[in-house]
Amino acid sequence: MPLDSSRTDATGRDPSPTDSTGAGSTDGPAGASGTAPARALRAARLGPRDVLHVGSAGLRSRPVRVVLSALGIAIGIATMIAVVGISSSSQAQLLRQLDALGTNMLVVKPGEGVFSGQEVKLPKDAPGMVGRIDGVEEVGATGDVKRSVRRTEKIPKDETGGIAVKASSERLLEVLRGKVATGTWLNAANGRYPSVVLGHVAAERLGITGPGQQVWLGDRYFTVVGVLAPMPLAPEIERSALVGWAAAQRLLGFDGHPTAVYERSTDASVRQVQKLLAPTVDPQNPQNVAVGDPSAALKAKAATEGALSTLLLGLGGIALLVGGVGVANTMIISVLERRHEIGLRRSLGATRGQIRIQFVAESLMLSGLGGVVGVALGAAATGAYASSGGLPWVVPPWAVGGGLGATLVIGTLAGLYPAVRAARLSPTLALHAA
């Protein structure tokens, strides 16, 4: 039958439109030419859910190997989290103590003479002069008493346990912001009689458990009226036996010269008061007066708390690196064992890129599992340490994020080479070898 010229062009082909699939007109199955144009084949895309499925397939089939491989990552991350957490918890405790004790206390002590090299004495009215400085709110003082304190008079004089005897003013405990663990503090009544307050270290060394007991001080018995709680800003007080100022002069031959003057000032005037203390206490020889900041020791300790942590972090990094090597080794072995699977997937149309994504995803899951377990173990170790030492439990968020980020980096690097190696396998050779 001749072609209808109204439906053909100059080349004799039917110009009727085709559908979206490239087939002929809807009037006939193949159009006027009798053939349909071929469509280009495209590889199916892997969605996130597909990537998770194919990536976790190797992990589900070898659970024991997964646990052992993830263990190295978990140990490295746990070490790093625990080191950072313990260090941060200790720093938080020190900062909490500084907030409670304050950083506005200064101590005035006699220095050494410039020419004689001998220790000088502070004036007897040094506490009063310090109290008249603008900005000073509280003043307390102690004075060394050259006597020994022992549990009984039968103990030799040389066996003092390093306990010093000090005369104390009544305001000392308020200035130091200290607390009495048991008993009471020195006051205008008991401070005039043979009574003594012990620092908690001194009480332990003397075997004193509470008030009412007696100790041999000088050449007579003194009754213990109180035991102090720890004082981080004044460790010298913790190792001392404190008697009233008047009793020390009357019963122990104290000369009345203070050897330490403690003062509290407003936060805004601390630096100005620090400059005025030495000239005020000894206007003629201010160089013979030493002014100290007790809180500086706690500040320095808080600042250097992480010094040892750097070494431990390095050890944790080495453990993490070893764990990464273990993950890479596991992935290489997995590629060798799964050549048949790789060849079959390639034969069914999987591209090299999809094979690479599969094995990189598997490596990331393996490392991520170790990272999550490591973070949990490190946080638990920090909590156990903090609970045993009475510290606040602090695990910095940046440490958790950094640990998990490190596992992702390790997982990516560990899976790249095995993934590339798997993608380069020839489907024919892989199926033949299998």
Side-chain angles (χ1 to χ4, degrees), residues 134 400 405 419:
D134 291 337
V400 176

Side-chain angles (χ1 to χ4, degrees), residues 10 20 29 35 37 45 117 189 199 205 209 216 227 233 242 265 272 360 394 427:
S20 59
T35 59
R45 294 183 179 180
R205 293 177 179 177
T209 57
W216 184 260
V227 177
L233 288 185
L242 305 172
S265 56
Q272 184 64 26
V360 170
V394 179

Side-chain angles (χ1 to χ4, degrees), residues 10 84 92 133 142 209 214 234 278 304 338 346 407 421 425:
V84 174
I133 300 176
T142 61
T209 57
Q214 291 187 324
T304 59
R338 298 161 63 188
R346 290 297 310 280
T407 60
R421 182 170 179 175
L425 285 176

Side-chain angles (χ1 to χ4, degrees), residues 70-284:
L71 185 60
I73 297 289
I75 292 175
I77 294 298
T79 302
M80 299 176 71
I81 294 295
V83 167
V84 174
I86 291 173
S87 176
S88 299
S89 298
S90 300
Q91 288 180 341
Q93 176 68 7
L94 291 174
L95 294 176
R96 180 182 294 182
Q97 289 181 350
L98 282 173
D99 291 338
L101 300 175
T103 58
N104 58 345
M105 187 179 78
L106 299 174
V107 183
V108 178
K109 293 183 178 181
E112 294 183 354
V114 177
F115 300 104
S116 62
Q118 297 180 353
E119 186 178 9
V120 297
K121 291 185 177 183
L122 298 178
K124 293 183 178 181
D125 57 349
M129 292 188 291
V130 170
R132 289 191 288 268
I133 300 176
D134 291 337
V136 174
E137 296 179 333
E138 297 175 325
V139 179
T142 61
D144 290 341
V145 179
K146 300 185 183 302
R147 296 298 179 96
S148 63
V149 56
R150 292 163 287 164
R151 189 66 179 85
T152 67
E153 75 277 12
K154 298 180 179 180
I155 298 176
K157 293 183 178 181
D158 296 336
E159 297 181 8
T160 61
I163 302 174
V165 179
K166 295 180 180 291
S168 172
S169 64
E170 297 176 12
R171 300 292 301 276
L172 178 66
L173 194 64
E174 298 178 13
V175 177
L176 296 179
R177 295 183 181 175
K179 296 181 179 180
V180 179
T182 57
T184 186
W185 175 245
L186 299 170
N187 51 46
N190 59 26
R192 301 177 60 87
Y193 298 97
S195 56
V196 61
V197 174
L198 300 176
H200 84 283
V201 175
E204 290 177 356
R205 293 177 179 177
L206 291 172
I208 301 298
T209 57
Q213 298 176 274
Q214 291 187 324
V215 295
W216 184 260
L217 204 161
D219 55 358
R220 61 184 303 168
Y221 278 103
F222 275 62
T223 301
V224 177
V225 295
V227 177
L228 299 178
M231 292 187 177
L233 288 185
E236 68 278 5
I237 301 299
E238 298 178 344
R239 296 165 175 79
S240 300
L242 305 172
V243 297
W245 203 271
Q249 290 179 312
R250 183 170 59 89
L251 302 175
L252 301 176
F254 174 52
D255 60 6
H257 288 275
T259 52
V261 179
Y262 303 85
E263 65 83 25
R264 289 272 183 183
S265 56
T266 60
D267 293 334
S269 60
V270 172
R271 296 299 143 228
Q272 184 64 26
V273 171
Q274 188 175 19
K275 296 178 182 178
L276 297 176
L277 282 174
T280 300
V281 173
D282 193 346
Q284 296 182 347

Side-chain angles (χ1 to χ4, degrees), residues 51-65:
V51 172
L52 292 176
H53 179 73
V54 299
S56 61
L59 303 182
R60 295 194 304 268
S61 61
R62 299 169 179 84
V64 176
R65 182 182 299 176

Side-chain angles (χ1 to χ4, degrees), residues 203-393:
E204 290 177 356
R205 293 177 179 177
L206 291 172
I208 301 298
T209 57
Q213 298 176 274
Q214 291 187 324
V215 295
W216 184 260
L217 204 161
D219 55 358
R220 61 184 303 168
Y221 278 103
F222 275 62
T223 301
V224 177
V225 295
V227 177
L228 299 178
M231 292 187 177
L233 288 185
E236 68 278 5
I237 301 299
E238 298 178 344
R239 296 165 175 79
S240 300
L242 305 172
V243 297
W245 203 271
Q249 290 179 312
R250 183 170 59 89
L251 302 175
L252 301 176
F254 174 52
D255 60 6
H257 288 275
T259 52
V261 179
Y262 303 85
E263 65 83 25
R264 289 272 183 183
S265 56
T266 60
D267 293 334
S269 60
V270 172
R271 296 299 143 228
Q272 184 64 26
V273 171
Q274 188 175 19
K275 296 178 182 178
L276 297 176
L277 282 174
T280 300
V281 173
D282 193 346
Q284 296 182 347
N285 299 293
Q287 69 278 4
N288 292 341
V289 179
V291 179
D293 182 1
S295 64
L298 286 179
K299 293 177 184 177
K301 187 176 180 180
T304 59
E305 186 66 32
L308 182 61
S309 300
T310 303
L311 175 61
L312 298 178
L313 279 175
L315 296 177
I318 294 175
L320 184 60
L321 180 61
V322 172
V325 173
V327 171
N329 184 55
T330 299
M331 295 305 301
I332 291 175
I333 296 176
S334 179
V335 170
L336 295 176
E337 292 179 347
R338 298 161 63 188
R339 285 179 295 177
H340 181 269
E341 173 191 337
I342 297 169
L344 184 59
R345 289 200 62 209
R346 290 297 310 280
S347 299
L348 294 177
T351 64
R352 290 184 175 182
Q354 292 174 350
I355 297 297
R356 286 194 293 265
I357 291 175
Q358 173 187 352
F359 283 93
V360 170
E362 184 175 332
S363 177
L364 283 173
M365 291 181 187
L366 182 57
S367 299
L369 176 63
V372 171
V373 174
V375 169
L377 291 177
T382 302
Y385 178 85
S387 177
S388 63
L391 304 177
W393 182 22

